[in-house]
Amino acid sequence: MSLIIIGGGISGLSLAYSLVSGKGDIELTLIEADRKLGGKVCSQTERGYIFESGVNAFLNNKPKTLELASHLLLHPLRSSDSARKRFIYSEGKLHRLSESPPAFLASSLMSLPGKLRILLEPFMPKGAKDDESLADFARRRLGKEAYEKLIDPMASGIYAGDPETMSLKSCFPRIYELENEYGSLIRALIKLKKEAKKTGAKVSAGPSGVLTSFPSGMSSMTDALGAVLKHRIKTQSKAVSIEKTKQGYAVYLEDGSRLEAERIVLATPAYESANILKEMDKSFSDALEEIPYPPLSIVALAYKKEKLKASLDAFGFLVPKKEGRRILGALYDSSIFPNRAPEGYVLLRCMAGGAKSPEIALMDDKRLLSSVLEDLRDISGIRTEPELIKIFRHEKAIPQYLIGHSERLRKIDEILQRYKGLYITGNSLRGIGFNDCIENSYKLSERILQPVTSESHLR
């Protein structure tokens, strides 16, 4: 079997590795438009600092990621205890997020009426809509204050998204399932904890696990995959279109060359896949084009520790939209993982832009930096000038799973049934996270190695 994978991010690389490590006899080529592999996974080392321009970590709760790391002889690096301390900026100060019911009741983040409203969650009715926005769900089940102070900043921190348009069903399927099955999140947790006592399993409505990376940064995995697959990879090879042939598919590259294979996998962002498919199937292209990618800028700042009056011994903080700030939050990278900064120095990263404030991400460097430093001064009390500044811009950052995303996927799946041997994968479909990409790649690998007649092409 001959196969071409278009896209050298973590989805394409992990899929290629899974396929060539399997039992099938595959003639595989992976093409990547850029000179460097990895996509949004990009670690840079400079003057003793490790900067992550995109993905900074993954949770160690998915076996496939750890299994892949083991095969590549990589040693995962668990985050420090400091990473458990997370803050929300509200009403002029930082409030630590509660890690237990007693801590929640004692927290100053929520007002007493707001806390009582959350406790009424078991008595709230189930939603009438099958595909509800995250904002509507949160207000209905938890109340307005919990939405504004907890759910809104969480959505910005994970998706850089707008909860008013994000699909609960597609973004947080576990929470959607718990409400449908138990009628209440609190009721579900109580029942699941009772059941877990019998098995010793851990129970959580949200993501569990420990934040994990690698000693040299997240690029360690994509670099290792690239090294293993080296003779099968063509970088600086941009696919511009594909066409169906009698034997399978032909891929046309920007330099005018043509590649052929029996099967093709698109592992590129949705907007790139849309461009590649435009000539072959406009309806397919249009469906993918509907998945938005708002801009996001990352401003990394390094400081000499002795010059800081503020403590950065924490994971970082998030900022609700109602606070009117320009940054979405900050991650204290050197407190989360060791060796991210030289001895005596600290490194943090601020996020700006996203679906709610795209214009901020697109400001020029001077205005963006000024805005970030002003917010940091007011929120964290950091007044000293940074020793080093790095700005990373993503004009199209994280795919947004808006209301109707599941229906869009159904339509895409229907279209794919017309194209035997054509597949599409990546974080624009079913899961934006590093773990999701790897797990979906392994699932797709299993289907590709099965007879074509038994395949489902979209995952």
Side-chain angles (χ1 to χ4, degrees), residues 157-399:
I158 298 174
Y159 279 87
D162 183 354
E164 299 290 351
T165 58
M166 291 168 60
S167 164
L168 171 78
K169 182 180 183 179
S170 297
C171 296
F172 301 97
R174 176 60 173 159
I175 293 176
Y176 172 82
E177 291 165 4
L178 288 177
E179 185 191 28
N180 277 318
E181 186 173 349
Y182 296 94
S184 158
L185 302 184
I186 293 177
R187 194 180 302 132
L189 286 175
I190 292 172
K191 289 185 177 181
L192 290 173
K193 281 185 177 181
K194 286 181 179 178
E195 294 172 8
K197 283 183 179 180
K198 302 174 183 177
T199 62
K202 292 184 178 180
V203 175
S204 174
S208 59
V210 177
L211 205 64
T212 304
S213 182
F214 302 100
S216 297
M218 291 294 290
S219 284
S220 297
M221 181 169 279
T222 49
D223 288 348
L225 287 166
V228 172
L229 299 163
K230 187 174 181 180
H231 68 287
R232 302 174 185 269
I233 293 174
K234 295 179 181 292
T235 55
Q236 295 180 276
S237 300
K238 182 176 176 62
V240 294
S241 65
I242 62 175
E243 71 174 2
K244 190 79 178 71
T245 66
K246 289 182 179 179
Q247 291 74 32
Y249 296 89
V251 180
Y252 294 89
L253 304 183
E254 194 172 47
D255 64 5
S257 59
R258 182 177 188 265
L259 302 175
E260 290 192 39
E262 295 172 75
R263 305 189 189 192
I264 297 287
V265 179
L266 290 167
T268 45
Y271 54 88
E272 290 289 356
S273 297
N275 287 333
I276 294 168
L277 290 165
K278 191 171 293 183
E279 291 184 17
M280 188 179 82
D281 192 316
K282 191 174 184 303
S283 64
F284 195 174
S285 174
D286 290 345
L288 290 168
E289 194 69 56
E290 291 174 358
I291 301 173
Y293 285 68
L296 183 71
S297 287
I298 306 294
V299 180
L301 305 165
Y303 295 91
K304 201 165 188 176
K305 189 180 291 186
E306 65 181 25
K307 292 184 179 180
L308 294 179
K309 293 181 180 179
S311 171
L312 301 187
D313 184 31
F315 178 84
F317 64 84
L318 294 173
V319 183
K321 182 181 180 180
K322 65 173 295 189
E323 296 301 319
R325 294 292 175 172
R326 282 148 304 180
I327 62 173
L328 302 175
L331 300 181
Y332 302 157
D333 283 5
S334 55
S335 294
I336 300 171
F337 295 110
N339 303 323
R340 287 326 192 234
E343 186 68 30
Y345 291 82
V346 297
L347 176 66
L348 61 86
R349 296 186 308 151
C350 295
M351 304 164 289
K356 290 182 289 186
S357 305
E359 71 285 352
I360 296 176
L362 301 176
M363 292 193 301
D364 62 62
D365 285 1
K366 185 176 180 180
R367 290 177 61 214
L368 177 62
L369 180 59
S370 175
S371 299
V372 167
L373 292 177
E374 183 179 336
D375 277 358
L376 267 183
R377 181 195 65 207
D378 294 344
I379 295 171
S380 292
I382 297 176
R383 300 180 181 278
T384 187
E385 289 297 310
E387 302 280 331
L388 183 63
I389 300 164
K390 297 279 285 186
I391 297 176
F392 305 101
R393 294 184 182 276
H394 302 284
E395 291 186 9
K396 294 185 176 182
I398 302 172

Side-chain angles (χ1 to χ4, degrees), residues 8-15 17 36-39 41-43 52 55 57-60 62-77 212-229 233 340 433-439 441-442:
I10 186 59
S11 292
L13 289 168
S14 56
L15 173 61
Y17 180 84
K36 188 180 185 304
L37 298 168
V41 180
C42 183
S43 311
E52 300 283 13
V55 182
F58 61 94
L59 291 172
N60 67 350
K62 298 289 185 178
K64 284 300 180 185
T65 302
L66 297 176
E67 178 185 312
L68 179 57
S70 177
H71 288 167
L72 296 170
L73 303 180
L74 298 175
H75 301 287
L77 177 67
T212 304
S213 182
F214 302 100
S216 297
M218 291 294 290
S219 284
S220 297
M221 181 169 279
T222 49
D223 288 348
L225 287 166
V228 172
L229 299 163
I233 293 174
R340 287 326 192 234
F434 192 78
N435 285 334
D436 298 316
C437 292
I438 293 173
E439 187 169 356
S441 290
Y442 271 85

Side-chain angles (χ1 to χ4, degrees), residues 86 88 93-112 115 145 149-150:
R86 305 176 182 221
I88 297 289
K93 65 178 183 177
L94 290 170
H95 303 260
R96 183 171 175 178
L97 276 174
S98 309
E99 297 179 32
S100 66
F104 166 74
L105 293 173
S107 169
S108 60
L109 174 60
M110 299 280 295
S111 68
L112 180 58
K115 293 173 184 176
E145 187 178 355
K149 293 183 177 180
L150 296 173

